[in-house]
Amino acid sequence: MANDKQLMFTRNIGIMAHIDAGKTTTSERILFYTGLTHKIGETHDGTATMDWMAQEQERGITITSAATTTFWNYLGNKYKINLIDTPGHVDFTVEVERSLRVLDGAVATFCAVGGVEPQSETVWRQADKYNVPRIGYVNKMDRSGANYYEVVRQVKEVLGAHPCPIQIPIGAEETFKGIVDLIKMKAIYWHDESMGADYSIEEIPADLQSEAEEWRDKMLEALAECDDAIMEKYFDDPSTITEEEIHTAIRKGTLAMQINPMTCGSSFKNKGVQTLLDAVCAYLPSPEDTEAIEGTDPSDPEKVVVRKPLFEEPMAALAFKIATDPYVGRLCFFRVYSGSINAGSYVLNTRSGKKERISRLFQMHSNKQNPMETIGCGDIGAGVGFKDIRTGDTLCDENAPITLESMDFPDPVIGIAVEPKTQKDLDKLGMGLAKLAEEDPTFTVQTNEETGQTVISGMGELHLDIIIDRLRREFKVECNQGKPQVTYKEAITKSVELREVYKKQSGGRGKFADIIVRIEPADEGFEGSLQFIDEVKGGNVPKEFIPSVQKGFEKAMKNGVLAGYPLDQLKVTLIDGSFHPVDSDQLSFEIAAIQAFKNASEKAGPALMEPIMQMEVVTPEESMGDVIGDLNKRRGQVEGMETSRTGARIVKAKVPLAETFGYVTALRTITSGRATSSMQFSHYAQVSSSIAKQVLTEVQGRADLIK
């Protein structure tokens, strides 16, 4: 029973936000006040505990999500908090994605000056996707231009959420002193001399009294919608509502994702972090609050298997991150959903179907490991000893197999060719890249068969920059890099019918297959890659060969006719065909399908598709004309303009990725360094024929097929 009680006091939370909202600084303060560190680390000095990679300390950004475990006393109970600090850059969205998949709750941090930025929307949508309840924290209240109420309005309008302020600030900008707690209706001031560790609770200042009452009324109104007991009292006599009832209602509303409690503070100035920790313990879910996790039976993917968050249930865990540590080798981070894992025990990996022995277990503190004997239900830990493991694998009890839902990762959009400087670096390069690809599912390594080049692909220039930097430092490989290449795709635009006969007679048993197919673009709204329809009547093509035809087309789609780029979608209808009772076999039909694809695609109006990026440029008014002129020159489509509340103009545009290389430098030049831009992948679109011919000529593809 003690175990299950412990679950009630566990919180698995992540801190998510856009770049520079203060995620790492907030995490550092949490570590300091909970007594885990005795000196506050700072991002700008490169001493933050959670940013442990050399690249992170130099650049002052977070690249990998770091996990740590700490304890906080709230209302006389000791709460265990597993905290994950996630990156904000779009290039590392995968880190946020996989962290949210295993967390129970999140703290969405906003900058009090910048408000809701494009990247805040991205992380908010990711949290919606995994149904993660979250509380809001408006940071940087001490900066000039800070406006708490404006951020609350943006959260409501831009994100479409239901913010419910449970605190309001006392003063703003340089006069920011503390907060008013709307539940207790008391003012809280932090003392600077004790680094914010001590605070005093006083009466609300007279000039804020009416404002505090107004916001308290708004809070109760929002809670009345979530809780019937409060609704009754709110209409009869709001003064009879007790603190306890308010707490219960806020928790209920947060877990149901009906409201998002909003708090504020300034992490850098050490104000507001303790009240944020209290809110985490009070309102965010424990592992028990998630009813049960659903998975499927590996032997029967249709059958749903359920695991409750209890210690007596069979063990089920999800591996969400792989890291290479120089001392212990391959570390695998996982979240245990039910049962517990013991060091030295065997677990089953349902993807590979193999048993793995976990030799040692650790509780993580950024990049340091504390050895553990067991990691129990609802907890996050790391293990060593895996031979074959990938991100998103399910680990479970061998007697009770279950496959948990894995994660989807976006395809890489940009690639560069790398080659080692000396011959002796060649082997090291291969090893280093294989290890990095294992850690990061959005990073892929391919070898071009014709040229023998090694091409690495990732989510953006920064992403690949860091990878090359890591190769140099961690694996001691010096390499030359080529210019960035865009990952193109191909598509067809017309419908073509064709008969393909494959015959081979060379003494003895021959090969024979004959198919009539129609190849056309996939239907709108079709999800998946190959839309295969079988219309063969009367067994002209026997049933056992039809999957081979499908398999042939699936294979062929990976290499299009223009320059061997993959096709995203295709519709193939098998109309008719014939077979030979002796010579036909599965392989013959597979080869016939591959040939049919090549011959048909040439006639079906093949087109080249390129990645288009969604770009946002924040620029001063006077440089606006130059910025738009430059975007047009880059084949960009300007979609709209807004004015931010600081008076700068926000230009939204869609720009082909091929035109964005070196954009940041060009933008600085045009605007004398005053504009900033952010971009993320939007979709693939067809390239005009003149540019497609240029691209294909460069890569020695079939430019003659472009009409």
Side-chain angles (χ1 to χ4, degrees):
M1 185 57 216
N3 283 337
D4 289 331
K5 191 156 174 59
Q6 164 197 337
L7 273 188
M8 210 168 106
F9 299 127
T10 301
R11 296 285 179 275
N12 294 316
I13 61 160
I15 295 187
M16 53 174 226
H18 65 89
I19 310 160
D20 288 344
K23 296 180 286 295
T24 305
T25 309
T26 308
S27 313
E28 291 299 322
R29 299 303 186 268
I30 290 180
L31 299 186
F32 176 73
Y33 295 129
T34 55
L36 204 54
T37 53
H38 298 293
K39 179 175 173 290
I40 295 184
E42 293 297 359
T43 326
H44 52 260
D45 301 336
T47 54
T49 320
M50 299 298 264
D51 285 353
W52 53 271
M53 285 168 68
Q55 294 82 344
E56 297 181 310
Q57 292 176 354
E58 280 169 17
R59 297 168 191 243
I61 60 172
T62 306
I63 296 169
T64 68
S65 38
T68 184
T69 303
T70 182
F71 293 92
W72 180 246
N73 289 325
Y74 172 66
L75 299 181
N77 292 314
K78 190 172 176 186
Y79 283 79
K80 174 179 185 177
I81 297 177
N82 290 320
L83 177 76
I84 296 187
D85 176 27
T86 64
H89 281 262
V90 126
D91 289 23
F92 310 112
T93 48
V94 56
E95 289 284 336
V96 184
E97 185 96 6
R98 55 187 175 189
S99 306
L100 286 172
R101 169 74 179 78
V102 297
L103 293 173
D104 298 321
V107 175
T109 310
F110 299 98
C111 165
V113 182
V116 175
E117 299 197 30
Q119 192 54 22
S120 323
E121 291 183 51
T122 313
V123 289
W124 193 267
R125 280 202 301 277
Q126 284 174 315
D128 278 340
K129 182 164 127 191
Y130 294 117
N131 292 328
V132 176
R134 55 221 99 140
I135 54 180
Y137 172 60
V138 179
N139 190 14
K140 303 195 177 185
M141 282 302 302
D142 58 313
R143 279 187 47 198
S144 64
N147 184 340
Y148 175 67
Y149 303 109
E150 172 60 22
V151 179
V152 170
R153 186 191 68 75
Q154 283 185 341
V155 169
K156 187 170 179 153
E157 286 185 7
V158 179
L159 299 176
H162 297 284
C164 167
I166 54 173
Q167 300 170 356
I168 58 170
I170 304 174
E173 305 181 359
E174 62 273 12
T175 59
F176 175 64
K177 296 199 240 351
I179 60 165
V180 171
D181 182 337
L182 298 176
I183 303 170
K184 292 191 173 75
M185 286 302 272
K186 291 278 191 250
I188 303 177
Y189 296 99
W190 276 268
H191 305 314
D192 287 338
E193 57 277 5
S194 65
M195 302 279 283
D198 301 324
Y199 51 89
S200 49
I201 297 177
E202 297 171 22
E203 290 303 317
I204 300 174
D207 53 341
L208 269 176
Q209 188 70 38
S210 64
E211 194 169 4
E213 280 171 3
E214 176 193 344
W215 280 96
R216 177 179 166 100
D217 196 55
K218 284 185 184 170
M219 171 181 83
L220 292 175
E221 191 177 341
L223 293 179
E225 288 176 21
C226 312
D227 192 307
D228 297 341
I230 288 202
M231 186 175 266
E232 283 175 24
K233 286 192 173 177
Y234 177 72
F235 286 124
D236 293 345
D237 181 5
S239 59
T240 56
I241 303 176
T242 61
E243 269 183 48
E244 192 58 36
E245 286 174 324
I246 295 179
H247 279 303
T248 314
I250 298 179
R251 183 171 174 89
K252 188 172 162 188
T254 313
L255 295 190
M257 292 182 52
Q258 288 171 316
I259 56 168
N260 303 100
M262 298 291 285
T263 63
C264 61
S266 159
S267 300
F268 184 53
K269 290 282 194 293
N270 310 315
K271 294 179 171 65
V273 179
Q274 293 95 330
T275 46
L276 174 67
L277 278 166
D278 287 345
V280 164
C281 297
Y283 310 128
L284 282 181
S286 71
E288 281 191 320
D289 294 312
T290 35
E291 301 227 314
I293 182 156
E294 288 188 357
T296 52
D297 188 337
S299 53
D300 175 12
E302 298 294 307
K303 189 172 160 196
V304 175
V305 185
V306 176
R307 292 272 186 280
K308 289 194 171 67
L310 299 168
F311 280 80
E312 47 273 18
E313 286 264 309
M315 190 283 290
L318 184 77
F320 67 96
K321 181 171 173 169
I322 313 280
T324 313
D325 186 279
Y327 302 110
V328 296
R330 191 186 298 164
L331 248 172
C332 162
F333 289 70
F334 50 76
R335 151 89 195 257
V336 183
Y337 284 102
S338 60
S340 49
I341 297 185
N342 300 324
S345 63
Y346 283 90
V347 294
L348 173 73
N349 178 347
T350 50
R351 176 183 60 80
S352 63
K354 293 192 179 96
K355 281 197 320 193
E356 296 264 16
R357 181 173 182 267
I358 304 181
S359 50
R360 290 183 293 163
L361 288 174
F362 301 107
Q363 189 109 56
M364 295 305 292
H365 173 45
S366 175
N367 63 333
K368 299 181 189 52
Q369 302 100 2
N370 305 326
M372 300 286 282
E373 281 303 304
T374 29
I375 292 199
C377 169
D379 217 341
I380 292 176
V384 177
F386 295 97
K387 289 190 181 59
D388 170 27
I389 188 138
R390 290 189 207 150
T391 306
D393 284 358
T394 306
L395 307 172
C396 57
D397 190 324
E398 43 192 316
N399 304 324
I402 178 172
T403 307
L404 302 175
E405 180 194 9
S406 185
M407 302 166 246
D408 304 328
F409 300 118
D411 292 335
V413 288
I414 170 174
I416 55 174
V418 290
E419 56 181 33
K421 282 194 176 158
T422 59
Q423 199 54 41
K424 66 172 196 294
D425 282 342
L426 189 62
D427 297 345
K428 284 200 295 197
L429 176 75
M431 263 175 49
L433 288 174
K435 279 198 170 150
L436 290 169
E438 202 172 71
E439 282 184 33
D440 184 347
T442 55
F443 165 67
T444 54
V445 182
Q446 285 148 333
T447 310
N448 186 332
E449 287 171 9
E450 289 166 12
T451 57
Q453 275 184 322
T454 306
V455 176
I456 58 174
S457 322
M459 298 303 293
E461 287 186 80
L462 175 68
H463 187 187
L464 294 179
D465 226 20
I466 295 234
I467 287 223
I468 290 180
D469 198 26
R470 285 187 63 186
L471 276 176
R472 205 176 65 238
R473 291 196 192 181
E474 291 170 33
F475 301 98
K476 310 284 184 282
V477 180
E478 292 293 334
C479 53
N480 301 325
Q481 56 197 76
K483 73 174 207 304
Q485 299 157 346
V486 177
T487 329
Y488 290 100
K489 287 187 173 168
E490 292 183 23
I492 57 168
T493 52
K494 301 192 218 100
S495 166
V496 169
E497 261 188 50
L498 149 132
R499 179 168 199 162
E500 187 68 42
V501 182
Y502 172 66
K503 288 211 274 229
K504 209 167 176 188
Q505 208 65 43
S506 54
R509 191 172 164 198
K511 298 263 185 213
F512 179 84
D514 164 24
I515 51 174
I516 301 176
V517 287
R518 179 166 62 249
I519 293 183
E520 54 198 321
D523 297 346
E524 256 181 48
F526 171 70
E527 304 253 325
S529 53
L530 178 64
Q531 185 177 0
F532 187 78
I533 298 166
D534 167 22
E535 286 184 359
V536 179
K537 304 276 189 299
N540 288 347
V541 177
K543 281 277 183 278
E544 63 265 29
F545 296 144
I546 290 181
S548 308
V549 177
Q550 186 170 352
K551 189 176 159 195
F553 276 108
E554 276 170 2
K555 258 191 192 161
M557 279 173 70
K558 290 185 179 135
N559 293 311
V561 285
L562 292 173
Y565 296 119
L567 274 82
D568 249 357
Q569 286 192 325
L570 185 68
K571 179 176 178 184
V572 174
T573 313
L574 181 59
I575 302 170
D576 203 1
S578 64
F579 73 108
H580 188 283
V582 178
D583 289 353
S584 287
D585 57 3
Q586 284 171 333
L587 186 63
S588 308
F589 275 93
E590 197 174 311
I591 296 171
I594 295 174
Q595 288 180 351
F597 169 79
K598 282 192 176 140
N599 295 335
S601 304
E602 289 181 7
K603 299 172 189 153
L608 198 60
M609 312 289 279
E610 64 177 347
I612 307 284
M613 307 301 274
Q614 172 74 47
M615 188 177 275
E616 291 206 3
V617 185
V618 180
T619 165
E621 180 85 46
E622 53 267 33
S623 317
M624 183 119 132
D626 298 342
V627 168
I628 290 177
D630 181 65
L631 285 172
N632 290 338
K633 194 165 83 202
R634 294 173 182 271
R635 305 196 281 131
Q637 288 178 333
V638 176
E639 292 187 325
M641 285 166 241
E642 293 169 16
T643 306
S644 76
R645 53 173 214 243
T646 48
R649 301 299 294 265
I650 305 170
V651 180
K652 295 187 175 181
K654 291 234 176 21
V655 185
L657 177 68
E659 306 286 336
T660 62
F661 297 133
Y663 181 68
V664 176
T665 326
L667 183 68
R668 279 184 192 148
T669 316
I670 305 171
T671 62
S672 332
R674 290 173 64 193
T676 56
S677 70
S678 67
M679 60 177 193
Q680 60 196 58
F681 172 71
S682 163
H683 63 284
Y684 271 87
Q686 191 172 335
V687 183
S688 66
S689 53
S690 56
I691 295 171
K693 281 182 179 162
Q694 269 174 349
V695 171
L696 291 172
T697 316
E698 273 176 31
V699 294
Q700 291 150 6
R702 304 264 320 259
D704 55 307
L705 294 175
I706 298 282
K707 298 289 183 283

